[in-house]
Amino acid sequence: MDETQTPPKGRPRIGREELWAALLWVALTAAGEAVLWKAPLLPERYANTAHIVDDAFLVLTRLAVPVFAFVLTVLVVSLLRFRSRGEPAEDGEPIRGTPRTIATWLGITGGLAVLLIFYPGVYGILELQRAHSAGVEGETEPLIVEIEAARWAWTVTYPDAGVTTGEELVLPVDRTIRFEITSVDVLHSFWIPAFRAKIDAVPGLTTVTTVRPERTGSYEDDPALRLQCAELCGLAHSTMMLPVRVVEGPAFDAWLLEQGAAGMPTCEPSGTELRIVAENIAFDQTCLAVPADTPFTIELVNNDAGVPHNLSIAEDPEWTRVLYTGETFDGVATRTYEVPGLPAGVYRFRCDVHPIPAMSGTFVVKEVEGS
Amino acid sequence: MAILKGIAGAVAGYALGFAVVAAAQLAMGNPVGGAVPVVIGSVFATVGWLLGVGLWRAWAREWFGLEPRLDVPTGPGRYFRFNTDHKVIGVQYLVTFVIVFGLAGLLAMVIRWELITPAADLGGDAYNQVMSLHGILMVAVAVAAVLGGLGNYCVPLMIGARDMAFPRLNALSYWLIPPVAVLLLTAPFVGGWDSGWTAYPPLSVVNAGGQVLFVVAIVIFGLSSILGGLNAIATILRMRAPGMTLMRMPIFVWSVLAASIISLLFTQFFAASLILVLLDRVAGTTFFEAAGGGNPLLYQHLFWFYSHPAVYVMILPGFGITLEVLTHFSRKPLFAYKGAVAGFLGIVVLSGIVWAHHMFTSGMAHFMNIPFMALTELISIPTGLVFLSALGTIWRGRLWLRTPMLFALAVLFNFAIGGVTGIYLADVATDIHLQDTYFVVAHFHYTIVGGEIFALMAGIYYWYPKITGRMYREGLGRLHAVWMFLAFQLVFLPLFVAGIHGMNRRINEYVEPLRGYNVFASVAAFVLGAVFLIALGNLVWSWARGRVAEANPWRATTLEWTTSSPPPPHNFEQTPEVVGDPYPYGEPGAVHVRPVTVPTIAGGSE
Ligand code: HEM
Ligand SMILES: [Cu+2]
Ligand SMILES: [Cu+2]
């Protein structure tokens, strides 16, 4: 531009201060990274989405450490070495920086920015998308939970079970859950800190977020397990909150039953000797019940001549967590299965040869008073 | 006197406006009342106020073929009327916003007091109103204190101009501010408003009547910002002294130019979005009402289209002051001057195309996530240039640790934290968790307070001798700097953690495990608040009794230090001639301005 702005000749020299600074920077960075190794920076994770968010958080923090350490180093070394006692008697060296310095700096900061955009940036977005869709493919169906926000309460509906509640949000562990969220009045925001999941509830719009809880737990153990309104909505915004409880699948079904789930048969235990009849490719009962933690017997009467049947019990509708499988045999015959005690919960039973509705049912295992 | 006339004008204007609307309502057979007469009354009141306070005398008479009266008194009276001297206006802005800052600071103390316990000590509605008022008052301070105050006072001096390009417009910009303050402060008496400074509909369409006053206030404030921005741009482009090329301008002037471009281009979007809210409220339109075919997300796009650039209106002049102070107090030329200028301009360009990073969890279409994340993260490149300039300037300097320098160094520390935490909010994955939590609150306080307000303090102490003609007490100034720095960290560092651990923002009750962070932050906040009493005492007392300051107590090189402290009415006894770089430290013989020659009787030798 003009003559006073031309940089001084020669390359910047490396003096004592530069060496000190390099050492300090490395030391601060190392210390920072070491602290990160163990520091419990983030709350407990209860869902698959939480891992993705927290991984991105840690990557960013790892990268932030050297950047912040650099600024800190320059400040500290300058304060220690370049401080003038009283008014400086002379000026500093007129170092204005060469185009090369600026280009190098731009290269480093630009490279960092581009890195951040792709990792953890775009990478994290894709991971979240995969997490949102993967479960949906792996299972037959995600569990749909409808959330309606209104000033100042949440209403939760399980459309398949026909259950609606405003008391708590109960979710089964290890199942993909698709939340369909809307609002009837102003903006609200659906946030479960333990899942790192957040999306606004917007009037006139249904927003969706998908999570797969990975651990059981409840608001009483960890307040991060709560559905908290995170968008200012007026008077009682602060307390627009619903406790979240993640339970095992059977306990979830049991809870749905308690809430009067439509279309789900229910029954009470009345002893440890069950009897069930299979005839015309159908069981004569849709519900069986036994006391919890007590061994029991099931007498299976197969009245279909030449047709094989059996009875098995599982936790989930996909029959991936099977608790008991009875031997298959042709009719007409009768067998008695001896089944070890099961923990309380609502399970399912079926005939493995004919897994049709007529040969399936609910298997209730319940604590019984005085037993 | 002028102020009394202004008040009379305001009352008359309000009555007139209200009466006109009431008459129309009667004529149409509608019930009299509601929000419309208040809105129109407020607008008329603002006009009446302006006319009374001096617009009529000094300007409007001209429109009717009368002679304007431009005489102004000297002495303290000159501050209390429509006055076109940029130095008077600068002081008016500064003092006004110091008062607003104090009020909003007291509200911050109320907020922190409420948050000591997890339970509600203040009602939810009262809390939301206090929080909203704190927010908008502080936003006003952040937008206008540096630009309107220090920008007005220093820019003409630094470029060797006699005044701003449009002095009467300048006075108008200032006198629009008191109505804004009055409207915001009367809002609590008509139910206040509880929707924060962001005023998202539908809440802002259905809440209490104070929201209407908020809307009117912001529209007036926006007008003031736009006029101020226009004036600053015209001044910087057209009023520079001979020889003051753009690349010889002090860096603070560049930052004011960059920020003013943003004000001029974007402010109307905030006003427009709020006017739509107003129409939804009073005229039955449904811009933001889903049931009527509107869309609440539309508001967020409009709002952030201004309000994201606005954060750079706040921080750019803060960067400018910081670099300015760092270079003079390191006694070194500004490192990578052109890089810093490029950084400012790069920020201006990028600031306009990143707004939707505030909306990752809003329910907007997913395809917008990646572009807005990428663009936002690119801002770290021009911001990095500003940091290069700052760090390169202090390196191997002769650091003179006077009060302004301490504040400027603190800005670097604070903004490093503010900037780095901003990345977490630009990253979609992390933002999903952090959006609307105390992490955001801590982040923006680190940038606005830690960046801009610390820089404002640096600027106030730096130019104090120039503005007042007296020196503040250095010991107290340094105490202020160190105390404010330490207390600030203690208030806001724990709030990052609280946010990560599940503390959402804008709440008066929270879950028990968050108590520790909050007790800590609140106690630290009271300690932080206390330091302003010391600072205020120092600044007020010194203005009256302080040691008389020389023209150039810092031996700084830029133009404002070549004239007396305080400067004469037209700034320079003789138009300065600029011959070189603004910061010719360490370069023997190099100068920024040609030394003023002793005036000779007969224009002779030189
Ligand atoms: C004494 C120092 C201060 C303290 C302790 C403080 C504290 C707070 C707190 C606790 C909130 C509520 C956050 C929320 O729930 O969202 C808040 C909001 C806010 N503060 Fe401050 N603050 C201080 C100074 C400032 C300053 C100097 C500025 C700007 C110049 C500022 C700007 C804001 C803004 C814009 C909001 C957001 C309001 C909203 O959400 O509508 N604060 N502050
Ligand atoms: Cu809500
Ligand atoms: Cu933004």
Side-chain angles (χ1 to χ4, degrees):
Chain A
M1 186 78 354
D2 64 292
E3 60 288 352
T4 54
Q5 283 201 16
T6 45
K9 305 271 172 322
R11 316 211 47 224
R13 62 197 157 66
I14 305 289
R16 281 242 305 271
E17 287 81 6
E18 280 77 8
L19 287 177
W20 272 117
L23 274 179
L24 184 61
W25 180 52
V26 171
L28 284 175
T29 304
E33 301 288 350
V35 169
L36 271 186
W37 209 253
K38 280 270 173 278
L41 213 53
L42 295 154
E44 296 286 323
R45 290 172 277 272
Y46 282 86
N48 59 343
T49 41
H51 292 281
I52 299 166
V53 168
D54 287 7
D55 285 350
F57 192 99
L58 279 178
V59 172
L60 288 178
T61 312
R62 294 248 149 78
L63 291 171
V65 166
V67 172
F68 185 68
F70 184 82
V71 175
L72 194 60
T73 300
V74 175
L75 284 173
V76 168
V77 176
S78 300
L79 278 175
L80 293 179
R81 304 282 310 169
F82 306 136
R83 186 178 59 209
S84 144
R85 284 172 212 292
E87 185 173 345
E90 54 184 46
D91 289 350
E93 279 171 68
I95 318 167
R96 289 172 181 274
T98 60
R100 218 169 125 161
T101 331
I102 299 184
T104 314
W105 181 268
L106 277 177
I108 296 172
T109 52
L112 254 178
V114 173
L115 170 68
L116 289 177
I117 289 172
F118 287 100
Y119 183 77
V122 173
Y123 175 82
I125 293 180
L126 295 181
E127 284 283 282
L128 279 175
Q129 262 168 19
R130 191 159 338 130
H132 286 336
S133 51
V136 179
E137 280 159 21
E139 285 164 310
T140 36
E141 289 278 275
L143 175 71
I144 294 185
V145 178
E146 292 169 1
I147 304 281
E148 187 183 86
R151 296 208 277 172
W152 289 272
W154 298 100
T155 307
V156 182
T157 302
Y158 302 82
D160 290 336
V163 167
T164 294
T165 170
E167 300 286 307
E168 57 175 343
L169 173 58
V170 181
L171 300 170
V173 73
D174 288 329
R175 263 196 84 185
T176 303
I177 296 155
R178 182 182 151 94
F179 291 105
E180 300 183 350
I181 301 150
T182 192
S183 161
V184 297
D185 42 39
V186 301
L187 296 175
H188 302 270
S189 192
F190 170 99
W191 183 38
I192 301 179
F195 295 172
R196 318 285 191 273
K198 182 182 296 125
I199 187 89
D200 283 4
V202 184
L205 199 70
T206 300
T207 52
V208 171
T209 188
T210 314
V211 299
R212 180 198 279 272
E214 290 181 334
R215 281 170 62 183
T216 58
S218 71
Y219 172 73
E220 283 71 39
D221 321 325
D222 187 343
L225 271 171
R226 68 184 198 280
L227 165 49
Q228 171 77 54
C229 178
E231 182 68 68
L232 181 58
C233 57
L235 182 68
H237 165 61
S238 313
T239 47
M240 184 166 161
M241 187 272 278
L242 210 56
V244 173
R245 186 151 62 89
V246 181
V247 297
E248 297 290 348
F252 174 68
D253 287 337
W255 177 81
L256 276 184
L257 261 186
E258 245 168 58
Q259 301 294 313
M264 206 166 172
T266 178
C267 49
E268 292 294 318
S270 61
T272 56
E273 290 167 11
L274 302 175
R275 183 168 187 275
I276 188 165
V277 180
E279 199 171 307
N280 298 330
I281 325 280
F283 282 132
D284 67 339
Q285 289 163 56
T286 55
C287 184
L288 296 173
V290 291
D293 307 314
T294 321
F296 57 94
T297 59
I298 307 175
E299 186 184 339
L300 172 58
V301 182
N302 182 347
N303 286 342
D304 288 331
V307 180
H309 288 304
N310 85 331
L311 188 140
S312 73
I313 304 169
E315 279 187 13
D316 57 320
E318 275 77 39
W319 241 257
T320 53
R321 289 184 297 275
V322 180
L323 301 173
Y324 179 80
T325 306
E327 183 192 342
T328 307
F329 58 96
D330 291 349
V332 174
T334 297
R335 293 281 159 92
T336 300
Y337 304 136
E338 306 217 333
V339 190
L342 297 176
V346 171
Y347 309 95
R348 295 140 207 276
F349 71 85
R350 72 176 188 192
C351 164
D352 288 330
V353 190
H354 310 98
I356 53 171
M359 296 209 76
S360 312
T362 313
F363 200 99
V364 179
V365 180
K366 239 185 172 173
E367 307 281 356
V368 175
E369 307 284 308
S371 72
Chain B
M1 249 349 257
I3 300 232
L4 288 184
K5 282 191 204 157
I7 294 173
V11 172
Y14 191 86
L16 181 66
F18 198 100
V20 167
V21 179
Q25 283 175 327
L26 273 182
M28 293 192 305
N30 291 342
V32 172
V36 184
V38 177
V39 172
I40 304 295
S42 307
V43 173
F44 276 53
T46 305
V47 175
W49 156 261
L50 289 173
L51 290 173
V53 90
L55 188 82
W56 169 255
R57 263 183 116 247
W59 195 350
R61 284 173 62 92
E62 210 172 271
W63 307 339
F64 300 94
L66 306 171
E67 270 301 298
R69 305 213 174 120
L70 295 171
D71 56 307
V72 279
T74 50
R78 70 186 190 281
Y79 292 110
F80 295 97
R81 59 172 54 235
F82 197 86
N83 188 323
T84 56
D85 181 345
H86 73 99
K87 297 185 292 301
V88 171
I89 297 173
V91 171
Q92 287 170 332
Y93 263 106
L94 278 175
V95 171
T96 307
F97 280 105
V98 164
I99 294 169
V100 175
F101 182 80
L103 278 176
L106 284 178
L107 294 173
M109 298 302 115
V110 175
I111 297 177
R112 285 309 337 166
W113 167 77
E114 151 64 68
L115 291 172
I116 294 176
T117 63
D121 307 301
L122 204 66
D125 192 49
Y127 177 83
N128 287 341
Q129 288 188 37
V130 168
M131 179 276 296
S132 302
L133 193 56
H134 162 76
I136 196 64
L137 291 177
M138 284 300 194
V139 165
V141 170
V143 166
V146 176
L147 276 183
L150 295 175
N152 246 313
Y153 197 99
C154 300
V155 165
L157 285 166
M158 293 172 96
I159 61 173
R162 293 163 68 88
D163 205 325
M164 296 288 274
F166 309 116
R168 291 188 294 200
L169 206 59
N170 200 15
L172 175 61
S173 305
Y174 170 72
W175 286 103
L176 284 169
I177 301 292
V180 175
V182 170
L183 283 168
L184 291 176
L185 294 175
T186 47
F189 299 103
V190 293
W193 84 98
D194 60 355
S195 55
W197 83 277
T198 50
Y200 279 6
L203 181 59
S204 58
V205 175
V206 299
N207 60 358
Q211 187 75 53
V212 170
L213 298 186
F214 171 89
V215 171
V216 179
I218 296 304
V219 173
I220 297 174
F221 184 64
L223 181 63
S224 162
S225 297
I226 293 174
L227 297 179
L230 182 80
N231 209 342
I233 294 172
T235 306
I236 295 169
L237 294 184
R238 307 295 309 159
M239 306 284 288
R240 302 192 306 277
M244 177 66 84
T245 60
L246 287 178
M247 284 306 183
R248 283 177 182 163
M249 293 197 308
I251 198 72
F252 176 62
V253 178
W254 266 112
S255 70
V256 170
L257 179 61
S260 300
I261 293 173
I262 299 180
S263 291
L264 181 66
L265 290 184
F266 292 100
T267 308
Q268 48 275 36
F269 289 91
F270 193 7
S273 55
L274 286 177
I275 288 174
L276 297 184
V277 164
L278 192 64
L279 289 176
D280 272 10
R281 283 185 81 104
V282 303
T285 56
T286 54
F287 291 105
F288 307 125
E289 192 193 321
N295 182 351
L297 291 189
L298 172 65
Y299 175 88
Q300 297 178 33
H301 284 293
L302 283 169
F303 174 82
W304 288 113
F305 195 72
Y306 160 72
S307 293
H308 186 79
V311 306
Y312 294 103
V313 174
M314 303 174 192
I315 197 61
L316 280 170
F319 284 160
I321 296 174
T322 306
L323 293 181
E324 192 74 36
V325 167
L326 288 177
T327 183
H328 294 302
F329 287 80
S330 301
R331 311 214 69 79
K332 265 184 66 199
L334 187 68
F335 189 83
Y337 172 96
K338 287 185 210 161
V341 171
F344 292 169
L345 297 179
I347 288 176
V348 171
V349 172
L350 283 174
S351 75
I353 46 176
V354 297
W355 73 92
H357 63 212
H358 296 272
M359 298 174 61
F360 290 142
T361 62
S362 69
M364 70 173 181
H366 284 303
F367 73 86
M368 310 221 304
N369 286 350
I370 290 181
F372 277 101
M373 174 186 71
L375 288 166
T376 304
E377 291 182 351
L378 290 182
I379 294 195
S380 55
I381 300 174
T383 312
L385 282 176
V386 176
F387 261 84
L388 171 70
S389 177
L391 298 177
T393 301
I394 59 175
W395 193 252
R396 297 204 162 274
R398 302 279 180 278
L399 272 54
W400 189 14
L401 298 182
R402 299 291 295 264
T403 309
M405 183 63 164
L406 294 179
F407 277 108
L409 292 170
V411 169
L412 296 183
F413 182 91
N414 295 337
F415 200 85
I417 295 181
V420 160
T421 50
I423 300 280
Y424 293 74
L425 302 172
D427 185 278
V428 175
T430 41
D431 184 60
I432 286 176
H433 180 56
L434 299 172
Q435 169 61 236
D436 269 316
T437 66
Y438 261 77
F439 190 91
V440 175
V441 174
H443 156 73
F444 73 69
H445 281 87
Y446 258 95
T447 51
I448 309 182
V449 185
E452 192 205 354
I453 299 296
F454 273 74
L456 173 67
M457 297 300 156
I460 287 179
Y461 283 102
Y462 176 54
W463 282 301
Y464 187 88
K466 181 57 57 186
I467 294 173
T468 62
R470 292 180 185 266
M471 207 60 189
Y472 62 85
R473 296 286 290 263
E474 182 62 28
L476 290 177
R478 289 189 201 177
L479 180 69
H480 175 194
V482 174
W483 182 333
M484 183 169 159
F485 175 74
L486 294 176
F488 175 76
Q489 314 301 327
L490 297 180
V491 180
F492 289 101
L493 278 179
L495 295 183
F496 281 115
V497 190
I500 295 169
H501 282 268
M503 179 150 175
N504 50 318
R505 64 185 284 206
R506 298 167 160 179
I507 51 170
N508 65 334
E509 293 178 55
Y510 52 85
V511 292
E512 179 62 36
L514 299 170
R515 184 198 283 261
Y517 307 114
N518 280 287
V519 172
F520 192 94
S522 288
V523 173
F526 303 142
V527 174
L528 175 59
V531 74
F532 291 102
L533 300 179
I534 298 178
L536 197 68
N538 184 9
L539 295 177
V540 171
W541 186 87
S542 302
W543 200 336
R545 293 282 154 78
R547 184 166 56 73
V548 173
E550 317 144 47
N552 187 2
W554 313 120
R555 290 194 297 113
T557 51
T558 42
L559 267 175
E560 76 272 32
W561 302 107
T562 62
T563 186
S564 59
S565 298
H570 287 290
N571 295 351
F572 299 96
E573 298 302 344
Q574 121 190 25
T575 306
E577 193 193 341
V578 178
V579 293
D581 181 271
Y583 312 115
Y585 291 106
E587 291 167 339
V591 285
H592 178 45
V593 220
R594 189 184 300 284
V596 184
T597 47
V598 184
T600 43
I601 320 279
S605 51
E606 270 213 85

